[in-house]
Amino acid sequence: MKLGQLRLGTRLALGLGALALTVFVIVGWVMVTSMQDFLDRRLDEQMATSQAGSSYEVKAYEKVTKLPPDWYAVVYVMEDGQLRAQPGEQQPPDRDEFDALANKALNGDLFETEYLRGKGKFRLRACEIVDGQTVLVSAAPMNDTDGTISQLITVSVVAFLAALVALVVGGQALIRKGMQPLSDMANTAHDISSHDLTDSADLAVRVDGKGGGVEVEELREAFNKMLAHIDTSLAARTAAEQRLRRFIADASHELRTPLTSLRGYADLFRYAAANEPGEREKHLEKLRSEASRMSVLLDDLLLLARLDSAESEPPLRPEELDLAVIAEAAGDAFRAARPSHSLDIDADTVTMRADATRLRQVLDNLLTNAAVHTPAGTSVSLQVTASDGWAVIKVSDTGPGIPEADQARIFDRFYRVDNSRTRQRGGSGLGLAVVQSLVEAHGGTISLASKPGSTVFTIRLPRQL
């Protein structure tokens, strides 16, 4: 298995072990080297002290009689221009190294490390006892020093290996425990992948728990925020899909009625044309009426579709206008078409930048809605004022009002309050939806306040679009 295929905790533990091993090697090398130098200096000092103590004996007797066990000593005296070894009790069987070092010592004290045949490793020191006349060469075994260093190396290796194993095993356990919150997040992600989010907006899965440090806590919080955002987005998408399905179903239902009527009247017209010519005009007028009704419905659907896609196809054509002029024109049209309802207009001069055609459509829809859903004789009022950079339009009537339970959905597409008002004739349920979409396209808001005897639609539009 490649290193990159291991889990993060294992890789961190191995990396920690490699770093610790490097540190242990450096520390061990420094420790052994320092101990080696220390022991060598101690042995050199011991040999120098021993030779200094033997100098009086060498001057007097030309030999050394007091030496530590396993030490060697050879005294050289200058005879006929050459250094000759004098007899002694503790001399090595082979003096070649001693002879060579003695000749060198005529120029100053010397230390050398040599391997004596059959005896092992020794530290040699040569010094002049009498200048140019007598030289003493001593040799001390280095078995104890080498043994101490070997034991130190063995102990260090064993201790460092044990510490390394404990560090890797313990570090992996601690890392695994510290990374448990990350594993929980991974499990949560796997849990999310097992949910069917096609038609469901329910994503209540969150990462619970605490601990792991500041960074893990920040990651946990960010992860939960991301899940909350996904949950909200899924809910919005599901709601939009449900609205779309309901919209398509309602639109199909609304279009099916006039299409059925058109088909029926077409059959009657064909029959009248063949058998009762006098009935043809009546059936033809019915055809025109149903076609006009379907045309209005399709126009409203097209307008709503354009407003929904306003980013790619701007539906408004703003221009400088006086809102009072539009209100008066809408009021005149209302009085002519609805003589059964009285209309009171109070319109101040309010100049603004907006789409005059669409604002007229908003006012016509609200006034028509007030007339259609209230009994004859109901008073309707239209008020236009300006307030802090906003144009305020209020359309009110003194009809029976809208039940509170229906007010939250009054602007939904194809929604009708079937039992709330006396209806003279049915509508498509798109009028108020179109009004709201047009107001929002202008950057404004529309609100409703209704109770028995008073219904008020309030529109607030920014005067600069």
Side-chain angles (χ1 to χ4, degrees):
M1 181 180 293
K2 296 181 179 180
L3 183 62
Q5 297 176 344
L6 297 176
R7 295 183 65 86
L8 178 59
T10 303
R11 296 203 304 270
L12 290 176
L14 292 177
L16 181 63
L19 180 61
L21 179 61
T22 303
V23 173
F24 288 163
V25 169
I26 295 175
V27 171
W29 177 80
V30 171
M31 184 172 59
V32 170
T33 303
S34 300
M35 181 59 69
Q36 179 76 57
D37 293 341
F38 173 75
L39 293 178
D40 288 344
R41 287 196 304 273
R42 288 290 300 275
L43 182 60
D44 291 346
E45 292 173 359
Q46 186 178 1
M47 293 183 69
T49 301
S50 175
Q51 287 183 336
S54 301
S55 61
Y56 299 103
E57 186 178 11
V58 171
K59 291 178 181 179
Y61 305 107
E62 294 184 350
K63 64 179 181 178
V64 178
T65 58
K66 297 180 180 180
L67 283 175
D70 298 330
W71 281 43
Y72 296 110
V74 178
V75 176
Y76 291 87
V77 177
M78 183 68 70
E79 295 179 358
D80 299 329
Q82 291 185 351
L83 290 175
R84 298 186 182 278
Q86 304 301 310
E89 297 179 357
Q90 290 182 258
Q91 294 189 7
D94 189 345
R95 295 198 307 265
D96 291 345
E97 290 81 4
F98 287 71
D99 295 344
L101 188 61
N103 290 319
K104 296 178 183 178
L106 292 174
N107 298 322
D109 298 348
L110 291 176
F111 282 96
E112 284 188 0
T113 300
E114 300 288 349
Y115 283 90
L116 303 183
R117 295 182 180 88
K119 298 299 181 178
K121 186 178 179 181
F122 278 75
R123 184 71 169 170
L124 277 66
R125 184 177 190 273
C127 65
E128 286 185 296
I129 303 300
V130 179
D131 293 342
Q133 296 294 324
T134 305
V135 176
L136 173 62
V137 179
S138 300
M142 300 187 68
N143 296 334
D144 293 342
T145 301
D146 292 344
T148 300
I149 296 300
S150 298
Q151 186 175 7
L152 177 62
I153 293 175
T154 301
V155 172
S156 299
V157 169
V158 172
F160 287 162
L161 286 178
L164 181 62
V165 171
L167 182 63
V168 171
V169 174
Q172 186 176 17
L174 290 176
I175 291 173
R176 185 182 294 111
K177 182 178 180 181
M179 296 184 65
Q180 185 61 42
L182 300 181
S183 299
D184 294 341
M185 295 181 196
N187 294 333
T188 301
H190 289 303
D191 188 21
I192 293 173
S193 64
S194 65
H195 286 67
D196 184 11
L197 304 178
T198 305
D199 294 316
S200 174
D202 184 14
L203 186 59
V205 180
R206 295 293 185 272
V207 179
D208 299 325
K210 296 182 179 179
V214 177
E215 294 81 3
V216 174
E217 188 65 30
E218 291 177 350
L219 179 60
R220 184 186 295 111
E221 182 179 355
F223 193 78
N224 284 333
K225 286 183 178 179
M226 179 190 69
L227 293 179
H229 176 69
I230 294 175
D231 196 5
T232 304
S233 300
L234 287 175
R237 187 197 69 178
T238 302
E241 290 179 352
Q242 291 174 351
R243 288 195 302 270
L244 178 61
R245 292 171 183 172
R246 185 170 61 251
F247 179 80
I248 294 174
D250 292 340
S252 300
H253 175 74
E254 293 293 334
L255 289 172
R256 182 173 57 188
T257 300
L259 285 174
T260 302
S261 299
L262 284 173
R263 191 160 45 242
Y265 287 126
D267 292 337
L268 290 174
F269 179 79
R270 182 175 60 182
Y271 174 80
N275 301 289
E276 298 181 15
E279 297 291 327
R280 288 184 303 175
E281 287 300 323
K282 183 178 69 173
H283 297 315
L284 186 59
E285 181 61 28
K286 292 290 185 180
L287 285 172
R288 293 193 187 97
S289 176
E290 292 299 326
S292 176
R293 178 185 172 193
M294 187 167 63
S295 177
V296 171
L297 176 61
L298 291 175
D299 287 343
D300 287 343
L301 289 174
L302 179 60
L303 176 59
L304 289 172
R306 292 183 61 196
L307 291 172
D308 289 341
S309 59
E311 293 182 359
S312 59
E313 184 183 359
L316 303 180
R317 296 179 179 178
E319 57 181 311
E320 293 292 334
L321 54 84
D322 184 357
L323 192 55
V325 175
I326 298 177
E328 292 291 347
D332 292 341
F334 178 81
R335 291 189 183 100
R338 307 289 178 178
S340 61
H341 291 69
S342 62
L343 176 62
D344 180 26
I345 300 178
D346 180 12
D348 296 338
T349 299
V350 179
T351 57
M352 60 181 299
R353 185 171 178 79
D355 189 322
T357 302
R358 296 309 181 188
L359 287 187
R360 172 63 186 274
Q361 185 176 0
V362 168
L363 296 180
D364 287 342
N365 282 2
L366 289 177
L367 292 172
T368 301
N369 184 75
V372 168
H373 298 292
T374 59
T378 302
S379 297
V380 181
S381 64
L382 173 59
Q383 182 183 24
V384 177
T385 58
S387 175
D388 297 330
W390 292 82
V392 181
I393 304 172
K394 291 185 178 181
V395 178
S396 58
D397 64 69
T398 58
I402 302 174
E404 185 176 354
D406 295 311
Q407 294 181 21
R409 295 190 58 192
I410 197 66
F411 294 104
D412 290 354
R413 298 174 185 182
F414 296 109
Y415 184 77
R416 299 189 187 93
V417 186
D418 292 332
N419 300 320
S420 64
R421 295 184 174 193
T422 301
R423 300 183 60 183
Q424 297 176 354
R425 64 182 179 84
S428 65
L430 292 176
L432 291 180
V434 170
V435 168
Q436 183 186 46
S437 297
L438 287 174
V439 169
E440 291 178 350
H442 281 84
T445 60
I446 182 171
S447 60
L448 168 65
S450 182
K451 62 182 179 179
S454 175
T455 298
V456 181
F457 288 91
T458 302
I459 299 175
R460 292 176 58 84
L461 298 171
R463 299 181 65 178
Q464 294 295 328
L465 183 64

